[in-house]
Structure formats: structure tokens, C-alpha cells
Amino acid sequence: MDESLTGKPPFKPLGLPHRITSSNSATNLHGTDEPDDHERDGRVLVLLTGGTMGMKPNARGSLEPKAGYLAEQMRLMPELRERRMPAYEVVEYAPLLDSADMVPQDWRRIAQDVARSHNQFDGFVVIMGTDTMAYCASALSFMLEGLSKPVVLTGSMIPFAESYSDARRNLVMALIFAHAGPSEVVVFFGDRLLRGNRTTKVDALALSAYDSPNFPPLASCGVALRARYDLALAPSSEQRCKAFTQMETKILVFRMVPGFDDKALLRCLESDELRAVVLELYGTGTAPARRAGLLKALRAARSHNVLVVATTQCKRGGVVLATYEVGRLLEEEGVVAAGDMTTEAAATKLAYLFGRYPGDMDAVRELVGVSLRGEISHPDAYLRPFFEAPRFKSSGSIESDPTKRPPAPPPAPTRPAHREPPPRDVGQRRRDIALGAALGVGLALVLARRR
């Protein structure tokens, strides 16, 4: 097991959390005519790990975490004192960290605190920095086994300390969704609620910094709330939420660049310490077939029992190695397709699987392409033949759940076979003609007499 999870770590992880404020503190501060916690509809635990939301400028003008500052701002927010808002309790970690400093041991602390408090609260909010939020959300989705409450990760691009900030809305909406949202790990940012292991940070400066390229938002906030909870995962039926913490961290991510030397990749894949490599390929999973060094590196990975998983460099779509011949060659060398998983989800899923099934490469290889927490779609969701028409639900909306295999299209209607009229009797046909002629002559005589 990696030393980052056992023994004395070479870094400073999140410390033990301690309670710093609650909705009762806000009530006591602003008067007794406001609802007490027992009058509110639910209770939410807020885990404050750090990030921009609770930062303030230091003497040099740079932003840095400020202990107790966010709790102070929450006590002053009138929105949080409304009767419709859930009661909350804020627990602040020490020291507060920039998300770039967070490591798997910090994810473990968060997962353990959620699991330990699972039955005491209706939901959870994790406040952290935005740079590695997608990694943390993906990891927590796998680590929290038996989860049946919402876990909402959020943060902000601008701190509370600024007059213009996205912190207030993100925090308020995160509390609302933690109280009455889907029972899975999600990210609320900007105006959308996204599945945690489907998110990725797409903008370093915009307030809508996060996106879910291959899965629809679970909710969008405008003048009205547009929720798609039909796409959400079902709450776990297990009696107890458990935190799986033995994440394997000996995993690397490589991004393919045209024409670059493969020797560095070969050196890494020859290591006996490495467990897996996430290889970011082009398009649907192509790589240069003429590069002998790449194929040599993949064979070295196989001989050293290193699993190679292929993701795409594209933001949308997924990897289907058999699409092109060059991808099929990679498949023959043991490369496993990650489908439409994000790189963050693929890396943290491998960390979970290698920890859950230590020494069982076949189990890990088999489960990479299986949806465990809604992190991957069936290939039919993004590789549909051109001639296949979209399928519609009875309500008229397009079937958009990429986690489900689309049903087989109904058979095309067949044209009824042409039937010849039954043959008629020849004698009868002659009698009909004679009768018609006689009627015509009789009518002509009648008309002549009238004249």
C-alpha cells in the first residue's frame, strides 16, 4: 500500500474537524422570532475544507484561507435563517487547504466524516477549492458505499470577501440540494447540479467553471428549477453507509502528443511499482500505429502487469477502440477502453478498484467498463449508427439517459401484400352486360315518347 495512506505521510493532511457554527448560532445572533432548528424541515452537515469561498486577501494582496471567516459570513446571511431552509452545522477542518494541496488521504477524511454522520443528517455539503473538485467528487462517489443521502460539493470562483461573488448563491443552492436533492455525490456550481463523477473543470475564469460533457445536468436553476431526478441514482438499500479508504495511488495519466518520444512512457510502464496508466488518446481511441516505441511500451506494460486504460482527449463522446484499425491494434495489446468516462473518473475509479480487489487484475479489467456509480454510459449513447432515428418517450421528450441501453427499435411496418381480385364467372359477366344494354334501350324509348 502506498505510504500516502499508511504510516507517517510526507504531507500535511486535513486535520481533525471541529464544530464552529450552526443555524442555531445565526438564530441567537439575530433574535428569537426566527425558527429554531427543531422547527426546520431537515439538517445538513457542512464540511469546510478550504477553497476560494472562505479566503481573504493577505497583506500582499494574495488570497489565502482564513479560519472562521466563512462561518462568520454564514451567520450574517438572511437567506439561511428562512424557515424553508434546512438547519445546518458547519465543521471546519484545520488547516484549511487549497484544493491543489488535497490528496487521497484528505478524500478519506471527508468520506469517513460523511459515513460517520450519515444517519444524523439529511444531507451533506463539502466546501472546497475548485481546481481538484472533480477528482474529489469522483473519488467520493466510489468511496462512499451504501450512500442514501445527498453529498453536494461546491465552492466559488470569487470569495465572500468580494462585493461581487458567486459564493453566496452556490452555498445557498448547495444547502437546498443537500436537503432535498438526489442521493448521490453531486457538484453544484453556477446554475447547475451535476453528477460528481461526470464533472470536469472547463474554465479557469468563468463562474460556470464546471461542465458535465457526457451526461445531462440533474437540475438547472433559473427563474424556475428544472430537475431531472429521473436520471439520478437510486438511494442505496444498505442499512449503513461505509467509507472505503484503501485507495491505490500508484496510477499515472499520460496524454498522447503527436510525434513525441515514447521512451519516457516505456520507462514508466516497466516499473514494478505502477498499477495502471490512464492514456489520453485521440478521438474514439486512436494512436499512431507506426510508432514502434508505443507498441513496445504497451507490451512492456502487459509483461509488468500494468493495466492501460484509454480515455479520449475530446470533451464529448467516448472511446470505442474497435472503431478504427489502429484502435483495434491497441485492444490486442491489452488496452481497455474507458468509454465516455472523464479522466478524473477513470483515475479515481482505478484507485478504488485496485484498492477493492488487490492483486486481482482480471476483476479490475472487467469492472473498468461497468457502471458502478453512473460514471460511464453504454456505447449506444454516443456511438449510434447514422440510420438509426432518435427514440422518443411517450411524453414526447427524447430518451436522454445515457446510463441505460436504448431499447431495440420497433420493427418497420411492412406493406400488405397485393391481392388479386378473385376470378369472376364468364357467363355471369355476359348476363350483366346484356342487362345493362336492355336498361339503356328502355330508357331511350321512354324519352322518345315524351317528345
Side-chain angles (χ1 to χ4, degrees), residues 434-451:
L435 179 60
L439 290 175
V441 171
L443 180 61
L445 292 174
V446 172
L447 292 175
R449 289 176 179 176
R450 288 184 176 182
R451 291 176 182 175

Side-chain angles (χ1 to χ4, degrees), residues 324-341:
Y324 296 97
E325 180 64 17
V326 291
R328 190 189 61 78
L329 293 176
L330 297 179
E331 200 169 33
E332 289 182 353
E333 296 298 337
V335 178
V336 178
D340 64 347
M341 277 192 289

